[in-house]
Amino acid sequence: MPQFVEKSAKTVKEAVDLALAELNATEDNVEIEVLEEGTKGIFGLIGSKLARVKVTLKETGGEKAKKFLLDIFSKMKVSADVLVEESEDTILLRIQGDDIGIIIGRRGETLDALQYLTSLVVNKSKQGYKRLVIDIENYRQKREETLVKLANRLADRVIKYKKDITLEPMNPYERRVIHSSLQNHKYVETYSVGEEPNRKVIIALK
């Protein structure tokens, strides 16, 4: 699909409508440049000139995010591609490539930092906030499954030894996984202590 089209018609509105139809877009999603206002001429015929417009699709949040990430990867000298899945309120970016473990970082710290920065870029000066998620080889799903297993294993230890357990510092996403996986547990409860970036989850007997 073209990023812009130029259309001519008797009026600017008609020309814009033709362009929008071809781009399958609404006025909210485009930038309109009037190249010729158009004139009716004498008696509406002699010397008349058609109106001409250039209508350009605005860059989507997903496209902006992909461009930002590819620029960062280029500077990191990492060969990777970004697949974009975008809905009305969410952008999912799947990163593919060889030797891209550096993008994940220790316990996902680099990945989380990239996600935070990309979200700032996408939502800058936008009225409607879009949730943004970056994933690499299903890292987040695998990490979540690991955390759920860890939470349940430690909960069993708390019950067995009747002693609270303090986990290592985790980012907000990982803490949420721990809390949610044990929120309906019959015998233990969870809460967080400390300040970022050293905030920790404690699993304790109810």
Side-chain angles (χ1 to χ4, degrees):
M1 184 171 64
Q3 294 302 300
F4 73 89
V5 295
E6 293 185 12
K7 288 293 181 181
S8 299
K10 290 182 179 180
T11 66
V12 168
K13 184 181 184 308
E14 288 177 4
V16 169
D17 288 343
L18 288 173
L20 292 176
E22 183 166 330
L23 292 170
N24 192 27
T26 64
E27 288 194 31
D28 293 337
N29 301 322
V30 300
E31 294 175 353
I32 300 170
E33 181 183 356
V34 179
L35 304 175
E36 297 278 355
E37 286 285 353
T39 57
K40 289 185 177 180
I42 302 173
F43 306 120
L45 295 171
I46 302 173
S48 63
K49 185 182 293 185
L50 293 176
R52 188 163 60 94
V53 299
K54 179 180 179 181
V55 178
T56 306
L57 281 173
K58 291 179 181 177
E59 192 175 42
T60 67
E63 290 167 344
K64 190 179 295 185
K66 180 175 181 177
K67 184 185 296 184
F68 175 73
L69 286 174
L70 290 178
D71 183 51
I72 289 180
F73 296 159
S74 176
K75 291 174 180 175
M76 293 172 67
K77 295 185 174 10
V78 172
S79 177
D81 192 20
V82 180
L83 303 180
V84 181
E85 297 177 25
E86 186 168 2
S87 65
E88 188 174 335
D89 57 1
T90 304
I91 299 172
L92 173 61
L93 305 169
R94 299 188 185 277
I95 300 173
Q96 297 180 338
D98 298 323
D99 301 322
I100 52 179
I102 188 175
I103 301 175
I104 297 175
R106 180 177 174 271
R107 290 178 50 241
E109 290 174 352
T110 304
L111 184 61
D112 288 335
L114 279 174
Q115 180 170 294
Y116 174 73
L117 292 173
T118 309
S119 180
L120 290 180
V121 170
V122 168
N123 290 295
K124 182 180 180 181
S125 302
K126 283 179 68 71
Q127 292 185 346
Y129 178 83
K130 277 204 170 188
R131 178 173 175 266
L132 184 137
V133 178
I134 299 178
D135 200 5
I136 299 176
E137 297 175 345
N138 289 324
Y139 169 81
R140 295 200 180 280
Q141 180 181 341
K142 294 174 185 175
R143 178 63 176 162
E144 184 171 331
E145 291 171 353
T146 299
L147 289 171
V148 170
K149 290 177 182 177
L150 174 67
N152 285 287
R153 187 169 71 248
L154 294 180
D156 290 340
R157 286 183 58 186
V158 169
I159 296 168
K160 181 177 180 179
Y161 297 106
K162 295 181 171 53
K163 185 177 180 180
D164 298 354
I165 290 180
T166 302
L167 282 69
E168 62 182 12
M170 292 181 174
N171 61 44
Y173 160 74
E174 293 181 328
R175 293 199 305 271
R176 281 196 299 272
V177 173
I178 298 292
H179 290 313
S180 63
S181 62
L182 296 177
Q183 65 181 355
N184 296 319
H185 199 286
K186 189 174 181 180
Y187 301 109
V188 303
E189 61 184 358
T190 63
Y191 57 93
S192 297
V193 296
E195 302 294 332
E196 300 289 3
N198 297 311
R199 196 159 170 77
K200 306 173 182 179
V201 174
I202 293 179
I203 302 176
L205 279 173
K206 285 185 176 178

